[in-house]
Amino acid sequence: MRSKGLLDVPVAEMDIVISMAPRPARNLVPRDFRGRTIDWHVDDPVGKSLTVFRRVRSELDVLVGQLVEDVRRHPPLA
């Protein structure tokens, strides 16, 4: 199992693309992408302690919860 890159998925069909990479999400999608891009600045826990993994997990839990609430209040255009 491996993570998929944006070349492996139908980006044009997506409403939201989130980057957790050092590069902004807007620079990762095609120029004509009409969805929303979001940048989440979280540490990469790979190779770090269990404490760091847990902290990053908690940060992502909060960010995903905030995103869900935001999408409920402002659904993407169909």
Side-chain angles (χ1 to χ4, degrees):
M1 178 185 239
R2 69 173 184 84
S3 61
K4 295 179 182 177
L6 288 177
L7 297 176
D8 300 322
V9 295
V11 176
E13 298 174 19
M14 296 179 182
D15 295 314
I16 301 170
V17 171
I18 299 169
S19 174
M20 293 186 291
R23 294 177 36 197
R26 181 50 62 194
N27 295 345
L28 300 172
V29 296
R31 272 192 119 128
D32 60 347
F33 179 68
R34 296 195 176 269
R36 180 176 165 195
T37 58
I38 300 171
D39 299 311
W40 284 350
H41 304 283
V42 295
D43 288 336
D44 183 349
V46 173
K48 297 185 180 159
S49 70
L50 183 58
T51 301
V52 173
F53 268 87
R54 287 179 174 157
R55 180 179 49 78
V56 171
R57 177 198 59 201
S58 296
E59 289 174 14
L60 290 172
D61 185 52
V62 169
L63 289 167
V64 169
Q66 290 171 343
L67 178 62
V68 168
E69 286 304 312
D70 187 54
V71 169
R72 283 185 180 144
R73 285 191 311 271
H74 309 286
L77 301 174

